[in-house]
Amino acid sequence: MINKVGREIPDELLNELGKTGFQGSHFRDNLSYKKAAPKIRSLNDNSRSKLCKSLREALEKCELRDGMYFGFHHHFRDGDYIINMVMEEVEKMGIKDITICASSMGAAHDPIAPLVEKGVVAGIQSSGVRGKIGEAISYGRFKKPAIIRSHGGRVRAIEEGDIHLDIAFIGAPTADEYGNARAVGGKSDCGVLSYSKVDSMYADKVVVITDCLVPFPNVPASISMVDVDYVCCVDSIGDPKKIVSNVIRVTKDVRELMMADYCARIISKSEYFKDGFSFQTGGGGAALAVTGFLQPIMEKQNIQMGFAIGGIMKVMCDLMDAGLVRKIVDAQVFDSAAIEHIKTNPNHVEISTSEYANPMNKGAFVNKLDFVILGALEVDTNFNVNVVTGSDGIVRGAPGGHPDTAAGSKCSIIVAPLIRGRIPTICDSVLTVTTPGEAIDIVVTDHGIAINPLRKDLLDTYKNSRLPLKSIEELRDEAYHIAGKPDPIRFMDKIVAVVESRDGTILDVIRKVEQL
Amino acid sequence: MINKVGREIPDELLNELGKTGFQGSHFRDNLSYKKAAPKIRSLNDNSRSKLCKSLREALEKCELRDGMYFGFHHHFRDGDYIINMVMEEVEKMGIKDITICASSMGAAHDPIAPLVEKGVVAGIQSSGVRGKIGEAISYGRFKKPAIIRSHGGRVRAIEEGDIHLDIAFIGAPTADEYGNARAVGGKSDCGVLSYSKVDSMYADKVVVITDCLVPFPNVPASISMVDVDYVCCVDSIGDPKKIVSNVIRVTKDVRELMMADYCARIISKSEYFKDGFSFQTGGGGAALAVTGFLQPIMEKQNIQMGFAIGGIMKVMCDLMDAGLVRKIVDAQVFDSAAIEHIKTNPNHVEISTSEYANPMNKGAFVNKLDFVILGALEVDTNFNVNVVTGSDGIVRGAPGGHPDTAAGSKCSIIVAPLIRGRIPTICDSVLTVTTPGEAIDIVVTDHGIAINPLRKDLLDTYKNSRLPLKSIEELRDEAYHIAGKPDPIRFMDKIVAVVESRDGTILDVIRKVEQL
């Protein structure tokens, strides 16, 4: 079928997946379904312990077998040791065909690539796929196509039963011997454990791996003992230097600052900009700078933010400390200042990823979002965005919360330079649709701003503003004029990855790239 | 069958319920089962609202029909308006045969009794059944036998799917328009919403009823919006004067103080009494006084409590403030001081009732409990306890957390006067077994202390103590000598209530009492 973003999704793939193509952001709104549930084992004999002497013992107790699905989180980001540690042990045990379902994966997981050739890993389901894993996907080395989901989409897939996790492995900065796990404290402090909440509730077996065992009870717990089977304590679960960044980069790039200024002006002229408004930015230079530009406007107009959400950084914590933010709802922290902040400020609150963005629960935070500032590798004239495949066709990005916040928010703003590394950002047709154009409202570039014509209200709002408004086609033409229209990438027939929309329909497919 | 506490449970009842008789506290330990799951409806269109103008509108949107099962919580205790308010509206709508599954019910719910005769209410499943509801049960006025469960047992029944809640009604001291509900703030502050957590997660429809609508987002939320369908704001959800007690009764009763002193001496001589020990008391005079007696012993021996649990009162908060308690894990508050305390002290933490006591999850707090001090209406020579049926055979009590903490703790201590209102407390055979004797370790009376012979280790520990140890038979003989052995109550054949063990097996049945 040709789906609503104009991509052809082969019927045999749809049949195999039991899915349909993307049919609009609210296609599956108000739909009734029975939630999935794990098969668990009770513990009420107080003489039994959950502590395992080694990861090996925990794996044996989980009755490991070929073909299992494993859940992992990415709160340790590039400092994560958990996935490699578990998969190394699995390889030693001679187990094959594991599917890794991680909230995201990154450069830290390059050691997994060789396990694909060895048959230990059969498939990847993740938001982020970068480094050697991304190459292994794009070069067609996995037995099964990768499934790429947004953060909200992953929770949905687990809660609806599309993914059934046999075992979830949860790296925990602190845990007690009954499995109450917290993100804060210990050697590998990561601020929140939001991505793991769904794993703990829906996996049959849950193993907490910590490098800091603390006295019972480790409360308030992000992951509750009532969902944990086994606890094992290892030397180290992550590299603190790579878990979060210690230094905030405040951009001095004139182009980024100009785009940030455009965004702040767009927001401040919006009907949604009033006391109690809500806001998310990504971690890019321009996006991050928007918060700084907003502060004086908020102060002048005596407007407080009702809530800030998303990956949280120092700049947002500072805004709260300045009295301009009522609540920070946090599903991921990006720097050490944010970690310290969540420990001490009761209005800075950890939420689960289902609360953040699951489109199929009874209402997530993204539904309540006014503004979101997002990045893009490519945006096409239908406002479709690609944040996953690079200009060489290889997967090296992550939708993350991009499609979730774009769909949920009242005003989603893409910030991207018109040209990036001699490649036009605005184009006729993105390589891969990872966020549908109907969810994108405004595109801000260093050469002008385009408003999605679907949003007639926004066209009206900004028509007399002094913002450099252009049509998306004008921006594309400028980009092509400057950088030239790139030659198309040659893909092979084989489908190596499926881009699932947040609601479980299929947005696009990614095909094999020939290895040079 | 004759179950493990010697009660005959009719086979036809067991077949009808799909249950077996009680077979020991750990009979269902390490058992594998698939958890229940609700049928829910998604909300991802940000233009849709959850706010209802009235309770009627919410009920209509829930597609009310005859025979539904409703969930309610009892955090508002004798001040609760919610159950009556909902059932009054249900009656007006002409709906019949509702089964009320409440965490507990009390005198506030006398207005429900007439709805039984009218056919609006068909059954009750609850921990507490008192007042006119208790009489209606004992006089056989319900269509279906009542099911009496412990707090942990109710969560188990919902999580295992024995109860499927069609709609849960959650009275919330504060809520936002998307259903994030908190126990604190507002006019009807109740400290925690622990009992409602399971309802919110397992009911198909969830209605939050508040009398204090607050700005979004009302976080950290006890009940999350992701589980809430509708929100309605009413004038008043409870009578603050009856929700909690404002005044702590410190007993001056010499008999109670003597028993409290015995308990403190038992605890302080135990091998479990060491730094990090854990403790729960009920709210009775003697039980409450134990905490006071323990304080100087803890101070002298430089021992901190690792965690205190259960219904929390000022005396325990004071002990924390004195530096003697590391964590308070709170599933219910009993006084206003405890409510204020949980708002300000980060080591005083709300937990769910599943975390508190569900025997069929992966491990609850009660499994980690060292000492619990509990009351009893009757204790028999097999140490079986009755806390539900009065000396006239009428149900007027609640197992609450009694069977959960007794089974989970290392040392469970019953405190009760030998004679109460001319009725012997220690007897040959309790009217109704609500906690099995194998879970009771020590019985403290004002006439001596009996240790359960199953606990040879405890007999050994206390053999040279100066405590007035007696056999349970000696205590019974003294009680009968003083008060005489009461005439047996005449029950009729009809079973009016089933006492379910916390693990879902059947502990006992309660038969109809002839109305005089």
Side-chain angles (χ1 to χ4, degrees):
Chain A
M1 74 173 284
I2 307 281
N3 70 10
K4 207 186 168 198
V5 288
R7 299 289 154 136
E8 183 170 358
I9 316 294
D11 289 336
E12 58 189 13
L13 178 75
L14 292 174
N15 290 338
E16 197 180 305
L17 296 170
K19 293 286 186 186
T20 182
F22 176 72
Q23 296 181 54
S25 293
H26 300 146
F27 172 61
R28 298 189 74 221
D29 179 56
N30 207 17
L31 194 102
S32 179
Y33 70 96
K34 188 175 174 182
K35 277 186 151 184
K39 194 172 173 192
I40 70 151
R41 205 170 263 281
S42 63
L43 195 168
N44 56 56
D45 178 347
N46 62 15
S47 68
R48 289 206 290 128
S49 165
K50 297 184 183 182
L51 261 186
C52 296
K53 287 198 186 72
S54 63
L55 179 55
R56 177 65 168 256
E57 184 188 333
L59 289 170
E60 283 167 356
K61 286 186 168 167
C62 286
E63 297 163 18
L64 211 60
R65 58 179 191 278
D66 292 352
M68 277 184 153
Y69 281 66
F70 287 179
F72 295 100
H73 71 73
H74 75 288
H75 286 290
F76 301 143
R77 302 156 63 82
D78 281 341
D80 179 56
Y81 292 168
I82 298 286
I83 297 185
N84 298 346
M85 184 191 304
V86 169
M87 294 314 299
E88 192 182 311
E89 202 61 45
V90 167
E91 186 195 3
K92 282 186 200 160
M93 291 171 76
I95 300 293
K96 303 284 182 190
D97 286 341
I98 298 299
T99 299
I100 293 177
C101 302
S103 54
S104 204
M105 295 176 78
H109 306 117
D110 280 355
I112 299 301
L115 299 184
V116 179
E117 317 285 347
K118 291 179 183 170
V120 180
V121 178
I124 296 280
Q125 302 193 7
S126 176
S127 174
V129 269
R130 295 184 179 87
K132 289 192 179 167
I133 299 281
E135 288 171 13
I137 291 171
S138 281
Y139 296 146
R141 300 222 181 96
F142 283 87
K143 281 190 190 168
K144 303 189 284 188
I147 301 182
I148 295 171
R149 295 187 178 94
S150 71
H151 291 329
R154 178 178 189 265
V155 181
R156 179 212 63 72
I158 295 173
E159 294 198 359
E160 275 203 79
D162 288 0
I163 305 173
H164 182 79
L165 296 176
D166 295 295
I167 314 176
F169 297 92
I170 301 179
T174 60
D176 63 38
E177 40 111 6
Y178 232 42
N180 289 301
R182 301 190 72 198
V184 293
K187 300 182 280 184
S188 310
D189 201 324
C190 61
V192 296
L193 281 171
S194 310
Y195 293 109
S196 292
K197 188 71 184 169
V198 68
D199 296 45
S200 74
M201 291 168 67
Y202 288 84
D204 292 344
K205 300 282 184 196
V206 176
V207 179
V208 162
I209 306 173
T210 189
D211 51 11
C212 181
L213 204 62
V214 297
F216 185 90
N218 189 27
V219 289
S222 298
I223 302 300
S224 171
M225 63 188 178
V226 302
D227 295 317
V228 176
D229 295 275
Y230 304 111
V231 176
C232 60
C233 190
V234 298
D235 288 339
S236 181
I237 56 174
D239 178 352
K241 287 183 205 128
K242 295 181 180 170
I243 291 174
V244 287
S245 137
N246 285 310
V247 184
I248 296 292
R249 181 177 75 95
V250 178
T251 186
K252 291 183 179 173
D253 181 313
V254 178
R255 201 175 56 160
E256 287 188 337
L257 289 172
M258 181 177 69
M259 292 191 288
D261 178 51
Y262 288 160
C263 290
R265 285 162 61 192
I266 288 168
I267 290 171
S268 67
K269 286 184 205 313
S270 163
E271 62 167 314
Y272 312 126
F273 185 67
K274 55 191 176 200
D275 191 60
F277 80 104
S278 56
F279 182 67
Q280 171 169 340
T281 59
L288 206 53
V290 178
T291 311
F293 280 107
L294 276 181
Q295 180 163 354
I297 307 172
M298 292 169 70
E299 282 169 341
K300 196 174 167 192
Q301 298 190 27
N302 198 22
I303 283 177
Q304 270 190 328
M305 203 181 286
F307 70 94
I309 189 165
I312 299 300
M313 283 162 292
K314 181 175 188 292
V315 60
M316 194 54 78
C317 301
D318 289 346
L319 206 64
M320 171 172 270
D321 295 342
L324 293 170
V325 181
R326 287 183 207 140
K327 301 277 182 183
I328 295 176
V329 289
D330 193 335
Q332 192 175 7
V333 294
F334 283 141
D335 61 29
S336 51
I339 289 180
E340 293 313 308
H341 195 259
I342 199 171
K343 290 181 193 171
T344 53
N345 194 315
N347 290 313
H348 183 166
V349 177
E350 178 175 355
I351 58 170
S352 72
T353 310
S354 187
E355 291 176 308
Y356 173 49
N358 176 3
M360 293 301 286
N361 64 25
K362 293 176 180 178
F365 271 105
V366 295
N367 303 3
K368 289 295 196 179
L369 192 54
D370 290 319
F371 303 101
V372 62
I373 314 284
L374 296 164
L377 295 174
E378 295 179 294
V379 184
D380 69 24
T381 48
N382 289 314
F383 287 82
N384 295 317
V385 172
N386 170 27
V387 292
V388 166
T389 41
S391 58
D392 52 2
I394 289 178
V395 294
R396 55 164 50 94
H402 197 296
D404 300 309
T405 51
S409 63
K410 293 197 182 71
C411 181
S412 63
I413 304 171
I414 299 288
V415 183
L418 192 71
I419 313 283
R420 192 190 271 115
R422 297 178 178 270
I423 308 285
T425 303
I426 313 296
C427 60
D428 285 323
S429 178
V430 292
L431 265 184
T432 310
V433 181
T434 61
T435 297
E438 67 172 65
I440 302 299
D441 299 314
I442 300 179
V443 177
V444 171
T445 74
D446 46 344
H447 284 68
I449 298 166
I451 295 174
N452 191 331
L454 292 174
R455 291 298 301 267
K456 293 194 179 28
D457 58 325
L458 296 182
L459 286 168
D460 210 48
T461 299
Y462 300 105
K463 69 182 171 191
N464 296 321
S465 71
R466 287 193 230 162
L467 291 163
L469 297 186
K470 295 180 179 170
S471 73
I472 192 81
E473 290 80 8
E474 286 174 305
L475 290 177
R476 173 207 53 196
D477 292 344
E478 280 188 50
Y480 284 176
H481 179 75
I482 297 168
K485 184 171 177 174
D487 292 332
I489 295 166
R490 284 195 199 162
F491 289 102
M492 305 176 79
D493 278 347
K494 184 179 177 183
I495 291 173
V496 294
V498 176
V499 180
E500 202 179 87
S501 170
R502 61 192 298 251
D503 68 356
T505 57
I506 307 303
L507 209 43
D508 208 344
V509 295
I510 299 174
R511 293 178 191 267
K512 185 175 172 178
V513 172
E514 198 170 3
Q515 193 163 4
L516 301 176
Chain B
M1 73 175 283
I2 308 280
N3 69 11
K4 207 184 167 197
V5 290
R7 299 289 155 135
E8 184 169 358
I9 315 295
D11 289 335
E12 58 190 12
L13 177 75
L14 291 174
N15 290 340
E16 197 180 304
L17 296 171
K19 292 287 184 186
T20 183
F22 175 72
Q23 296 182 53
S25 293
H26 300 146
F27 171 61
R28 298 189 74 223
D29 178 57
N30 207 16
L31 195 101
S32 178
Y33 69 97
K34 188 177 173 180
K35 278 186 149 183
K39 194 173 172 191
I40 71 152
R41 205 171 263 283
S42 62
L43 195 168
N44 56 56
D45 178 347
N46 63 14
S47 68
R48 289 205 291 128
S49 166
K50 297 184 182 182
L51 261 185
C52 296
K53 287 199 187 70
S54 64
L55 179 56
R56 177 67 167 255
E57 185 189 330
L59 289 170
E60 284 168 354
K61 286 186 167 167
C62 286
E63 296 163 21
L64 212 59
R65 59 180 191 277
D66 292 352
M68 276 183 154
Y69 281 65
F70 287 179
F72 295 101
H73 72 73
H74 75 287
H75 286 290
F76 301 143
R77 301 158 64 82
D78 280 341
D80 178 56
Y81 293 167
I82 298 285
I83 297 185
N84 298 347
M85 183 190 304
V86 169
M87 294 314 299
E88 192 181 310
E89 202 61 45
V90 168
E91 185 194 5
K92 282 186 200 160
M93 292 171 75
I95 300 291
K96 304 284 182 189
D97 287 340
I98 298 299
T99 299
I100 293 177
C101 303
S103 54
S104 205
M105 294 176 78
H109 307 115
D110 280 354
I112 298 302
L115 298 184
V116 179
E117 317 285 348
K118 291 179 183 171
V120 180
V121 178
I124 295 280
Q125 303 193 6
S126 177
S127 173
V129 269
R130 297 185 179 84
K132 291 190 179 169
I133 299 280
E135 289 171 11
I137 290 170
S138 281
Y139 295 146
R141 300 221 182 96
F142 282 87
K143 281 189 189 169
K144 302 189 285 188
I147 301 182
I148 295 171
R149 296 187 177 95
S150 70
H151 290 330
R154 177 178 190 267
V155 181
R156 179 211 63 74
I158 295 171
E159 294 198 0
E160 274 203 79
D162 288 0
I163 304 172
H164 182 79
L165 297 176
D166 295 296
I167 313 176
F169 297 93
I170 301 178
T174 60
D176 63 37
E177 40 110 7
Y178 231 44
N180 290 300
R182 301 190 70 197
V184 293
K187 300 182 281 185
S188 310
D189 202 323
C190 61
V192 295
L193 281 171
S194 310
Y195 293 111
S196 292
K197 188 69 185 171
V198 68
D199 297 45
S200 74
M201 290 168 68
Y202 288 84
D204 291 345
K205 300 282 185 195
V206 176
V207 179
V208 163
I209 306 174
T210 189
D211 53 11
C212 182
L213 204 62
V214 297
F216 183 90
N218 189 28
V219 290
S222 298
I223 302 300
S224 172
M225 64 186 177
V226 302
D227 295 318
V228 176
D229 294 276
Y230 304 112
V231 176
C232 59
C233 190
V234 299
D235 288 341
S236 182
I237 56 173
D239 179 353
K241 286 183 205 129
K242 296 180 180 170
I243 291 175
V244 287
S245 139
N246 286 310
V247 184
I248 295 294
R249 181 178 74 96
V250 177
T251 186
K252 291 183 179 172
D253 182 313
V254 178
R255 201 174 56 159
E256 288 188 337
L257 289 173
M258 181 177 68
M259 292 191 288
D261 178 49
Y262 288 160
C263 291
R265 285 163 60 192
I266 288 168
I267 291 171
S268 68
K269 287 185 205 311
S270 162
E271 62 166 316
Y272 312 127
F273 186 67
K274 57 191 175 199
D275 191 60
F277 80 105
S278 56
F279 182 67
Q280 171 169 340
T281 58
L288 207 51
V290 178
T291 311
F293 281 107
L294 277 181
Q295 179 163 356
I297 307 172
M298 292 169 70
E299 283 168 341
K300 197 174 166 193
Q301 298 190 27
N302 198 22
I303 281 177
Q304 270 191 329
M305 203 180 285
F307 70 93
I309 189 165
I312 300 299
M313 282 162 294
K314 181 174 187 294
V315 59
M316 194 53 78
C317 301
D318 289 346
L319 207 63
M320 172 172 269
D321 295 342
L324 294 169
V325 181
R326 287 182 208 141
K327 300 279 182 182
I328 295 176
V329 288
D330 192 335
Q332 192 175 7
V333 294
F334 283 141
D335 61 29
S336 50
I339 289 179
E340 293 312 309
H341 195 260
I342 199 171
K343 289 180 193 172
T344 53
N345 194 315
N347 290 314
H348 183 166
V349 177
E350 178 175 355
I351 57 170
S352 72
T353 310
S354 187
E355 292 175 309
Y356 174 49
N358 175 3
M360 294 301 285
N361 64 24
K362 294 178 180 176
F365 271 106
V366 295
N367 302 4
K368 289 294 194 179
L369 192 54
D370 290 319
F371 303 100
V372 62
I373 314 283
L374 297 164
L377 295 173
E378 295 179 295
V379 185
D380 69 23
T381 47
N382 289 315
F383 288 82
N384 294 318
V385 171
N386 170 26
V387 292
V388 166
T389 42
S391 57
D392 52 2
I394 289 178
V395 295
R396 54 164 50 93
H402 198 295
D404 300 310
T405 51
S409 64
K410 293 197 181 72
C411 181
S412 63
I413 304 171
I414 300 289
V415 183
L418 191 71
I419 314 285
R420 191 190 272 114
R422 296 179 179 270
I423 307 286
T425 303
I426 313 296
C427 60
D428 285 324
S429 179
V430 292
L431 266 184
T432 310
V433 181
T434 61
T435 296
E438 66 172 65
I440 302 299
D441 299 314
I442 301 178
V443 176
V444 171
T445 75
D446 47 344
H447 284 69
I449 297 166
I451 295 175
N452 191 332
L454 292 175
R455 292 298 301 266
K456 293 193 178 29
D457 59 324
L458 296 182
L459 286 168
D460 209 48
T461 299
Y462 298 106
K463 69 181 172 192
N464 296 320
S465 71
R466 287 193 231 164
L467 292 163
L469 298 187
K470 295 180 181 172
S471 73
I472 192 81
E473 291 80 8
E474 286 173 306
L475 289 177
R476 172 206 54 196
D477 291 345
E478 280 188 50
Y480 283 175
H481 180 75
I482 297 166
K485 184 171 177 174
D487 292 332
I489 296 166
R490 282 195 200 162
F491 288 101
M492 305 176 78
D493 277 348
K494 184 181 176 181
I495 291 171
V496 294
V498 176
V499 180
E500 202 180 87
S501 170
R502 62 192 299 252
D503 68 355
T505 58
I506 306 303
L507 210 44
D508 209 345
V509 295
I510 299 173
R511 292 177 191 270
K512 185 176 172 177
V513 172
E514 198 168 4
Q515 191 163 7
L516 300 176

